[in-house]
Amino acid sequence: LLAGGAKTLANVHRINILKALKVRPMCNQELSELLGLSAATVSQHMSCLIADGFVTTSKRGNWVDYSLQAENLAVFWENVRAALL
């Protein structure tokens, strides 16, 4: 679990996505424009972030909004701290 989460967070684009979602939920297109990545690239990164529970989705009409799961990130970092310190 720790290794998988660490691998997911070891990518600079994923960190930038999480930083953007810290401000507010966003759709793929908004993240793509904000970060200068293709929509397909954002989707690939989102798959990893969702699988590890760092991001969730919600429907807004035809759009899917991504939201930061701050609680899950906090639990992850607490588990890292407990395992290593």
Side-chain angles (χ1 to χ4, degrees):
L1 218 153
L2 291 178
K7 184 177 177 182
T8 296
L9 297 178
N11 183 288
V12 68
H13 295 304
R14 293 183 193 136
I15 295 296
N16 289 335
I17 288 169
L18 294 175
K19 286 170 148 179
L21 295 178
K22 182 178 174 184
V23 176
R24 66 177 175 84
M26 293 186 199
C27 70
N28 193 352
Q29 186 63 32
E30 290 172 305
L31 288 165
S32 175
E33 291 172 8
L34 178 69
L35 302 173
L37 301 171
S38 72
T41 298
V42 171
S43 291
Q44 289 177 338
H45 289 303
M46 295 312 286
S47 293
C48 296
L49 292 167
I50 291 166
D52 284 333
F54 300 139
V55 172
T56 60
T57 62
S58 61
K59 278 288 250 180
R60 178 177 43 107
N62 292 332
W63 299 96
V64 174
D65 281 332
Y66 298 107
S67 300
L68 181 69
Q69 285 299 100
E71 313 83 36
N72 292 352
L73 278 167
V75 168
F76 171 78
W77 288 115
E78 180 55 32
N79 287 334
V80 169
R81 189 196 64 74
L84 300 177
L85 299 178

